[in-house]
Amino acid sequence: GVTSALLADLVRAQGTATQVHLVQERARAAAALHNLVRPGDLVVTVGAGDVTAVGPQLLEMLGEDAG
């Protein structure tokens, strides 16, 4: 089957992404991204269920940094 680790490996193998990070636990994803993202970065979250909550959580964290 298709797993998040397999997808990350396939993206890495393409050689077009400069960095690929896999966070297994959705609850840790926004915090992990917060430590990695820089201005101009593109963040893509892929998954099922409540993965859509990661983007707003990350934006909130980044907004706190700016404010």
Side-chain angles (χ1 to χ4, degrees):
V2 177
T3 65
S4 54
L6 175 61
L7 287 174
D9 288 344
L10 290 171
V11 171
R12 285 184 192 106
Q14 291 298 309
T16 56
T18 57
Q19 293 185 40
V20 178
H21 298 274
L22 173 62
V23 179
Q24 295 284 355
E25 299 170 31
R26 206 260 330 137
R28 294 181 49 233
L33 287 166
H34 181 251
N35 293 324
L36 294 168
V37 297
R38 300 291 177 258
D41 284 354
L42 171 65
V43 176
V44 178
T45 57
V46 179
D50 61 355
V51 71
T52 57
V54 174
Q57 289 171 343
L58 176 60
L59 289 174
E60 183 177 328
M61 289 176 174
L62 294 172
E64 289 171 1
D65 290 349

